[in-house]
Amino acid sequence: MNDQNLLERYIHEVGAHLPRRSRQDVQLELRSLLQDELSARGLDADKAGDAGGVAELLKEYGHPEELAARYHTEQQLVSPVAFPAFRLSYSIVASVITVVFLVGLGLRLNQPGINLTELGGFLGSYAQAMLLNFGAVAFAFYLMEGLGWIKPAKAGADWDPHKLPAIKDTERINRTELLVGIFFTIAALLVFNFAPQWIGIVGWHDNGIGVVPMLSDQFLAYLPWLSALWVSEVALKALVYRAGRWTSRLRVVEFALSLASIYVLYTIVQSPAIAKLAIVDGIAKFALWIVLGIALLEAGWQLYRLLSGKANNPLGVPSTTENK
Amino acid sequence: MVTQEEYPALLEALTGELRRGALVLAVLSQLHERQYGYSLKQQLAAQALDIPEGTLYPLLRRLEAQGLLESEWELASEARPRRYYRISPQGREALADLGQEWQALSRALRGLLKEEKK
């Protein structure tokens, strides 16, 4: 049984078929309109006993796809019906391109002699690949719709609001995941600070087989910085665990921590040697470049989420034509 | 040729088509005073123009995007914002022009339908 009310599930589903730029505004207005209608009918979306009446009202509004199509009147290559599938498809394609780009960039950065022009060329080809593939995926959906392979799921009144999908709460936490994260961060903190000699490669040394320490003195000089980051991360996760969900303040702390991590990682990767053996140093730096790339993408996503979230707009009220 | 069973659906589609253009005129005419979506719907219904929610509310946004309406958000009660719409100067101009078109069309159709009755 779903504990979210039908109204919110309906509003969420309509939004899922709309482009991001108009989604929040339409959802906010739709919620206000539906609440007015419910009040006029003496219904409460949170009362289980009123679910039948709420479902009736939603049926009058029409299937989420149909309503979204009425709101989405601009010229479009991908219709609201196909929009969620298009978004998912392009996310997959964009992720693959990004990973390929990061691996390529990491490999190149690991070799000497890269200059700004070459780096610019790398970024340019990445942007070009993203744009070309966006066009290709959009065109593929346009063709599929034109050929009638993608059709509205259920038209007219013949749909059941009770079958609306549940809303995925992205701010809700998985406590087990958090605890595992805290455990591994503390483990790293202890090993790097109290037994750095355990980090190395297994091989022969003077007393027989064992671990040959690999961390260079240059790397160990950064240990206080790394330790500070790990302690902050454990503290942040503990706060999230206690709060039970991500709040906008905790998201700001997370973003600040990401920026600090990127700075420390970049400084480490720029140092002459982080491992005692040249080949291990090369592999470790390559891995660090990939981690750095992922950290940059993650920070970009965190910043976007912060700026587009409700943090700047506590009432969730968008701008109006009178204010424009 | 549609069958007798298919005729109601056809009639509904044709009626919808007939009303669609007139809805813009009806909505513009009722927004000299600001109204929020539900109050406008009620006002139109009181004058025997029952417009489905799924049609009226997206239409308001479209007219606003076209510059014929203006909107502003206001808190109706705690944490419950409402969007109020009002006709814009451009909307007033369009209303006057469309009104004239409507009168001319109406006269012409009345004449045509009178001939039809004879």
Side-chain angles (χ1 to χ4, degrees), chain A residues 44 120 157 195 225 241 303:
Chain A
D44 184 345
W225 293 102
Y241 187 91
L303 180 64

Side-chain angles (χ1 to χ4, degrees), chain A residues 5-66:
Chain A
N5 74 45
L6 282 179
L7 196 77
E8 289 304 323
R9 281 156 60 194
Y10 182 76
I11 294 166
H12 184 266
E13 195 57 19
V14 172
H17 291 87
L18 288 170
R20 197 184 294 272
R21 66 175 178 280
S22 60
R23 190 179 306 151
Q24 198 192 0
D25 196 36
V26 169
Q27 285 180 318
L28 190 68
E29 185 169 19
L30 187 55
R31 182 177 294 106
S32 158
L33 293 165
L34 284 164
Q35 281 170 341
D36 280 334
E37 299 261 3
L38 287 177
S39 303
R41 296 178 189 201
L43 295 168
D44 184 345
D46 289 322
K47 262 194 207 163
D50 287 352
V54 176
E56 270 312 304
L57 172 67
L58 298 181
K59 284 181 98 168
E60 286 170 25
Y61 268 68
H63 190 277
E65 277 179 14
E66 285 181 308

Side-chain angles (χ1 to χ4, degrees), chain B residues 19-74:
Chain B
R19 284 164 55 111
R20 206 161 296 138
L23 289 186
V24 173
L25 199 55
V27 166
L28 290 177
S29 74
Q30 298 302 300
L31 287 171
H32 289 289
E33 296 290 321
R34 64 176 210 155
Q35 302 266 7
Y36 59 94
Y38 184 69
S39 67
L40 175 64
K41 183 177 173 285
Q42 293 298 97
Q43 191 166 311
L44 290 166
Q47 293 174 67
L49 197 61
D50 211 353
I51 308 177
E53 301 86 346
T55 302
L56 176 63
Y57 303 141
L59 174 66
L60 288 173
R61 291 181 66 91
R62 199 168 75 237
L63 293 176
E64 190 200 14
Q66 290 166 343
L68 304 182
L69 296 180
E70 288 169 343
S71 79
E72 58 184 336
W73 282 94
E74 204 168 274

Side-chain angles (χ1 to χ4, degrees), chain A residues 166-188:
Chain A
I167 305 166
K168 218 169 140 189
D169 183 357
T170 51
E171 299 305 292
R172 194 176 282 179
I173 56 155
N174 180 333
R175 285 179 189 270
T176 315
E177 225 170 69
L178 263 186
L179 285 177
V180 171
I182 289 173
F183 171 79
F184 278 106
T185 311
I186 292 175

Side-chain angles (χ1 to χ4, degrees), chain A residues 246-257:
Chain A
W246 284 95
T247 63
S248 46
R249 272 187 192 172
L250 291 170
R251 287 286 186 203
V252 171
V253 177
E254 183 195 32
F255 177 62
L257 206 53

